Amino acid sequence: MAADVRWLGHSAFHLSGGGADVLVDPFLTGNPKAPVSADELPADVILLTHGHGDHLGDTVAIAQRTGATVLAIVELAAEIEAAGVENVVNPNLGGTVQFDWGWVKLVPAWHTALTPNGTPHMPAGLLIHYGGHLIYHLGDTALFSDLQLIARRGTKVDLALVPIGGHFTMDRFDAVTAVEFVQPAQVIPIHYGTFPPIETDAQAFKQDVQNAGFSQVYVLQPGDTHHVK
Ligand code: NI
Ligand code: MN
């Protein structure tokens, strides 16, 4: 099985080739880097790290159009269900949800979270077992030492999606240490370049990680697809 990971700008991804169309944090409307519009995307499942507007994005509209199942932490899931989405699954931190194509586990992320409608909830990272690969979307997080626990679980992370933009998340310098902690084979930097406060030098991040010998870094343009090895 394959895992084709298409970056939709910011924190948004479309996973395909692994038996389902999976979207993560589908923020397209209002995202100046979005290479597609929300009504063009296929979706069987939508995974959310948290409910800030730049992550929740077009979730409800896509789910209503496609019938996709939405996975989000319990308080956020309740708001999405109340908005009229039929298929919602609501794990909490540490929980794993099985699908016929793989599984998803919610893990901690250090951030704050309130939806645009005012629902407080805990932000999360997502461990996604897809297409025979382990993909770790760190969500919006600062650097914290428990990122090391992900590497200690015993299953190597094949691909980590790591925020580097600073201001709202860790910056590109802290992100190098995060990569050292997680020990992924491959890294795609995310959550930068979308808006002025999160401009950064992704190529410099790549050089720092690769010079340290931690991981292979792939700097994508929005719309590019990375085939997970
Ligand atoms: Ni956020
Ligand atoms: Mn964000």
Side-chain angles (χ1 to χ4, degrees):
M1 285 250 265
D4 290 318
V5 175
R6 186 181 190 207
W7 190 35
L8 304 178
H10 206 56
S11 275
F13 285 90
H14 175 198
L15 312 184
S16 63
D21 286 300
V22 177
L23 304 182
V24 185
D25 288 358
F27 166 53
L28 292 315
T29 303
N31 175 356
K33 302 291 184 181
V36 291
S37 69
D39 54 16
E40 295 174 78
L41 285 169
D44 297 304
V45 178
I46 301 170
L47 309 175
L48 296 177
T49 62
H50 64 299
H52 278 155
D54 60 319
H55 298 259
L56 179 62
D58 299 289
T59 294
V60 171
I62 296 171
Q64 286 177 335
R65 175 176 57 80
T66 60
T69 296
V70 178
L71 182 151
I73 201 163
V74 56
E75 291 82 4
L76 176 57
E79 181 183 305
I80 290 167
E81 198 161 29
V85 174
E86 202 165 326
N87 302 307
V88 177
V89 281
N90 63 350
N92 209 318
L93 296 174
T96 301
V97 176
Q98 300 284 340
F99 293 93
D100 53 8
W101 48 264
W103 52 260
V104 179
K105 176 192 278 284
L106 289 194
V107 296
W110 265 103
H111 190 59
T112 64
L114 202 64
T115 66
N117 290 334
T119 305
H121 59 284
M122 292 289 285
L126 301 166
L127 281 177
I128 307 165
H129 199 264
Y130 181 87
H133 296 285
L134 186 59
I135 299 169
Y136 178 22
H137 191 306
L138 274 69
D140 280 1
T141 189
L143 178 63
F144 64 114
S145 60
D146 280 358
L147 289 167
Q148 296 168 94
L149 297 177
I150 302 300
R152 285 204 206 162
R153 291 181 63 260
T155 309
K156 185 162 179 66
V157 174
D158 295 301
L159 173 65
L161 309 172
V162 180
I164 66 164
H167 195 80
F168 301 116
T169 68
M170 63 172 104
D171 61 22
R172 72 175 177 88
F173 303 102
D174 285 350
V176 176
T177 303
V179 170
E180 181 180 11
F181 283 170
V182 173
Q183 298 176 25
Q186 302 153 57
V187 171
I188 295 173
I190 65 172
H191 212 276
Y192 70 94
T194 323
F195 310 110
I198 58 172
E199 295 294 340
T200 195
D201 187 342
Q203 293 296 340
F205 166 74
K206 172 177 175 162
Q207 288 310 317
D208 289 346
V209 169
Q210 296 192 173
N211 288 345
F214 295 149
S215 304
Q216 192 71 33
V217 178
Y218 300 87
V219 176
L220 303 187
Q221 298 302 314
D224 285 355
T225 299
H226 174 69
H227 184 77
V228 185
K229 297 165 201 66

